[in-house]
Amino acid sequence: MEPSARQTSAAELLADTRARLADVEQAIRSHRFLEALAERRVPEEHLRALASEQWTIIASDRRAFAMLASRFPSHLAGDFFLSMAQGEGQALSLLRSYAAWVGLDEAALDAYEPRAGCQAYTAYVSWLGLNGSRAEVALAFAANLAAWGDNCGSMAEALRRRYGAPEEAVAFFDFFATPPEGFETSIVAVLVEGFAAGESPERARRAARLLQAYELMFWDTLAAEL
């Protein structure tokens, strides 16, 4: 298959995967946690839990992306996964300001006992870091990060408007609200590279389905008892 045909095939797979996952994505984007946050019904305990769960998730995801960069050091995949790891490191730094705003220092973040339903997402990302193909990871995050980014934008706005959060406290959410320039182009390029090496489109689609399911589980667990 010619490179241009592979690129078209990868883009079509991405579009088809997003269409198949539209119901789950809508459930994530319209989650009751966001509604409660916009109505100032999320107590401080849950705001602290959000910081603490993300502290564990972001640190773990950074290690997973670094592992992927070492497993796939080619120009396309290696650069992409390394940039993802660097982005998680930047997010982790920004998260400290949100945590401080809700009264948590690093010792408190480390002492927090994570909830299994919130951490299923990052456990699967860790599995992908050790076992996943380039195509599996690329397609999964292409399907996942749009909804996560939109939710982060909604949270930043609600925290500013309804909770009076300062700009430094919401910088973590603003960071994820806008995808990096050229993100989707890079995703398609990594998919093309993976498929050219014989990686399975069906396994990539499965990875996307599972990651979205774990993302929804995160929100459901976070919203428990609201």
Side-chain angles (χ1 to χ4, degrees):
M1 184 183 296
E2 293 298 321
S4 60
R6 292 196 193 103
Q7 188 166 3
T8 300
S9 178
E12 289 172 350
L13 177 66
L14 175 55
D16 181 66
T17 300
R18 284 174 169 161
R20 293 188 185 204
L21 296 175
D23 288 347
V24 179
E25 180 161 337
Q26 180 58 30
I28 293 169
R29 290 175 186 267
S30 61
H31 202 275
R32 60 192 176 91
F33 181 86
L34 300 178
E35 180 181 341
L37 196 68
E39 296 173 356
R40 212 182 189 283
R41 292 189 289 106
V42 176
E44 189 170 333
E45 177 186 355
H46 284 67
L47 297 179
R48 288 195 294 268
L50 173 61
S52 300
E53 297 290 354
Q54 283 297 316
W55 180 254
T56 301
I57 289 170
I58 298 296
S60 177
D61 286 0
R62 180 173 62 169
R63 289 190 292 271
F65 289 129
M67 173 67 74
L68 285 160
S70 69
R71 287 181 57 215
F72 301 106
S74 71
H75 170 63
L76 290 174
D79 286 355
F80 176 74
F81 293 133
L82 185 59
S83 71
M84 293 283 280
Q86 291 168 339
E88 296 296 304
Q90 186 176 349
L92 196 64
S93 179
L94 295 172
L95 182 59
R96 290 183 172 90
S97 295
Y98 171 71
W101 179 67
V102 295
L104 299 174
D105 58 16
E106 194 163 327
L109 291 167
D110 288 337
Y112 174 82
E113 291 296 330
R115 305 175 191 181
C118 286
Q119 296 300 315
Y121 172 96
T122 200
Y124 185 58
V125 175
S126 295
W127 185 92
L128 288 171
L130 288 171
N131 302 290
S133 69
R134 287 160 289 194
E136 286 175 85
V137 178
L139 190 64
F141 278 92
N144 174 253
L145 288 182
W148 165 245
D150 281 357
N151 281 16
C152 281
S154 297
M155 286 190 288
E157 176 62 20
L159 289 168
R160 285 189 186 96
R161 183 168 53 86
R162 301 294 290 167
Y163 292 80
E167 289 303 307
E168 61 268 21
V170 300
F172 169 81
F173 303 101
D174 285 336
F175 175 77
F176 283 113
T178 304
E181 185 177 352
F183 177 75
E184 187 149 323
T185 300
S186 296
I187 286 281
V188 171
V190 174
L191 286 172
V192 169
E193 183 181 72
F195 295 153
E199 294 173 2
S200 167
E202 287 308 313
R203 289 184 65 89
R205 197 194 303 276
R206 180 188 302 166
R209 176 181 60 79
L210 287 172
L211 193 64
Q212 281 295 75
Y214 291 134
E215 172 82 17
L216 181 57
M217 187 183 296
F218 168 84
W219 293 104
D220 287 346
T221 304
L222 192 66
E225 302 174 8
L226 278 182

